[in-house]
Amino acid sequence: MAAGNYLPTAELTASGRPVLYPGEIESSLLSSVDLLSEENPNFPHLKSGLLILTNHRLLWLPNSTPASSPTPVHIPLSAVSHIFSLKKSIKSVFSTPRIRFQVSVTSEGRVDEKGLRSIVITLVLRGKSDPEAFLGKFWEALKVRAWEEIKVGASGAEAGSSSGPRSGEGSLALRVPVVGVAGILRKEQEMWESTDKSLQDAFQDLNALMSKAKEMVMLAEKMRLKLLAGSNNQATGAAEDELGTKEEMQDWLLSVGIASPVTKESAGALYHQQLSRQLADFVRIPLERAGGTINLIDVYCLFNRARGTELISPDDLLQACSLWEKFDVPVMLRKFDSGVMVIQNKAHSDDEVFARIRSLVTKPDALQSGVSASDAAMTLGVAPAMAKEYLLTAEGKGLLCRDISPDGFRFYINLFQDINSDDVYL
Amino acid sequence: MQKLGEFKLPHFFNYPPYFTLQPVRDTREKQVQLWKELIIEYCRAQKVFIIGLEEDFPLFSNRAIERSLSHEARVAFLSALVSDGRAEWTDKGHKKCLILWHRIQEWADLIVHFVKENGLEDNVMTVEEIRSGTESRGTELYGIDRSVLMRALKLLEHKGKLVIFKGTSTDDEGVKFSL
């Protein structure tokens, strides 16, 4: 087969699996894929093979292994200069999906990243496939340029290209034709690459992190098991610092999202206790600013924003608040009849609020036209929603009564109790 | 003093919350009580027997304070009167309510009193004469709702105080008293 003249061979293992380079990871496998070049009839037309996308190369492996089958080949991603987006037309809905990309070739037509010319290669996806998904992975692999990382790290294994992309780009600019469609596409590619460098860096960081993740999980598991073992054979007279370490360990485990190994019966995991105290401290200032009462949802947002990364769940917040009963903190969680939950200053008692409401509704204009939630909000110095809750509670206690009209929802001082049927006429 | 026609309105009629159905139990009870009394007094004074819920009943609105009772509120107060036996729904859909500012028994007593007062013990009168005749002018019976009158008369007939009979002409029934 003449394939060898155009495409580099891919090495296989004894069982037909491709031999991967160090750091090479497979990302996509597609079956029944044809590989050809529509513009060059001399280019090998490889039919119905297995296409493997890795972070370094595109591999094409023949379907079966009779002696006459073509040799497995690969295209290094470093030779890919551009990937065309999927043509979306009525025709494309019913025809076999095709993926086209441009590769650099030498003057003889051999695929090579240092090639000066280029051709377009087409992949015909005859098997069951998700072309969009494959394209996405293809793009990403190209963006990440994982092969460069290895090349740079390799001990001068490759001459010329290990000097880094910079010089390569420089010499590339002089030698590459800037006319024609190929030139435009290449320019586009270069522009895109240069503006996306930071994204690539970020992706590399992420990849590095992901590769460490497995180690992290294993480490965490080891610690957890050690902790469990430790708590099981702990004598009653355990040393103080041992206990301390154990609690620290629990804290750390909880903060990385691993459930406390201590049994659920133990009174509130330490995490919640600490959170509870931290919350009580934190909420002091917002509470003052809000006039003594804040909606729990607002506290949730404020607290998480302040914490930055170690966000707490709504459930954590609720638990932390309910633990306040056990400590001596100047704040309390209060649930209104309507279900609304607020955090309130203990000093900011209901009676005090009602006294203020009473004085508000007995003012001359309030006697005439009542008060709305917003009026009360201004006087009480709390949010209108909070004010409404207080007004409703006062109504429930018989202090106020409501007036609903096209003018809105207003409250008056409750005079019903004072109306004497015998004395109704002035 | 605010008036509705000749009727003197109580001062709390200008209290806007009076026109909003109160949710709190104790407040509601007081409100219902006040409305019940007001309705009865007004109907007695204006001789209103039927209140139509979908009509504009002047007592249910106060233009001065731009408030009026919602349908729900009207039903609530009238239903309270019905429970007290001082009113009756005339239809299943609760669209019209008969107000018994005198209970039927009270009307019956008034008829007996009227008959005695006018020396009509052995007389015969038409039903119409009872409600619009010269003798009834100035009495509470004047202008009484006909169905209410019939019920009161039937009650008395049941007690043997009178006999209702079909008149000679097709239009009116007659009553022979035998008190």
Side-chain angles (χ1 to χ4, degrees), chain A residues 368 395-396 398 400-407 412-421 423-426, chain B residues 1 7-12 15-18 20-24 27 30-31 33-34 37-38 66-67:
Chain A
Q368 182 131 64
E395 181 194 36
L400 304 173
C401 55
R402 60 174 61 181
D403 165 47
I404 299 176
S405 73
D407 298 337
Y412 286 72
I413 184 129
N414 186 356
L415 295 175
F416 280 104
Q417 57 214 13
D418 301 322
I419 298 173
N420 197 339
S421 315
D423 189 31
V424 289
Y425 302 100
L426 292 158
Chain B
M1 179 83 57
F7 181 73
K8 283 185 230 166
L9 289 167
H11 61 75
F12 58 79
Y15 182 50
Y18 189 56
T20 301
L21 196 58
Q22 297 296 321
V24 176
T27 317
K30 191 62 187 281
Q31 183 188 32
Q33 188 209 332
L34 290 173
E37 288 167 7
L38 184 63
E66 287 173 341
R67 296 285 185 274

Side-chain angles (χ1 to χ4, degrees), chain A residues 146-258:
Chain A
W147 60 90
E148 270 176 23
E149 203 186 6
I150 305 303
K151 278 198 180 160
V152 168
S155 46
E158 309 241 5
S161 49
S162 63
S163 53
R166 209 132 296 184
S167 56
E169 268 179 7
S171 47
L172 213 61
L174 288 169
R175 292 181 289 166
V176 155
V178 290
V179 295
V181 177
I184 294 170
L185 288 170
R186 201 181 295 272
K187 260 208 192 115
E188 208 180 283
Q189 175 77 354
E190 281 170 19
M191 243 183 352
W192 178 77
E193 278 173 18
S194 66
T195 54
D196 261 340
K197 191 70 168 66
S198 58
L199 235 172
Q200 293 169 28
D201 288 344
F203 264 112
Q204 285 184 358
D205 287 341
L206 199 64
N207 286 338
L209 184 69
M210 288 205 293
S211 67
K212 289 272 179 266
K214 196 175 173 204
E215 295 174 32
M216 286 282 282
V217 172
M218 273 170 40
L219 179 66
E221 261 306 302
K222 270 193 224 159
M223 306 238 83
R224 189 182 78 90
L225 290 168
K226 198 166 184 181
L227 209 70
L228 268 170
S231 66
N232 280 342
N233 46 26
Q234 204 171 42
T236 40
E240 263 303 314
D241 34 295
E242 266 189 42
L243 269 164
T245 326
K246 182 180 166 192
E247 282 172 1
E248 274 172 32
M249 199 70 75
Q250 275 177 248
D251 273 356
W252 179 79
L253 282 175
L254 279 166
S255 70
V256 295
I258 299 170

Side-chain angles (χ1 to χ4, degrees), chain B residues 34-50:
Chain B
L34 290 173
W35 270 106
K36 280 195 299 187
E37 288 167 7
L38 184 63
I39 292 170
I40 293 287
E41 284 313 306
Y42 179 80
C43 290
R44 186 201 308 272
Q46 307 286 78
K47 294 213 186 222
V48 171
F49 284 90
I50 305 277

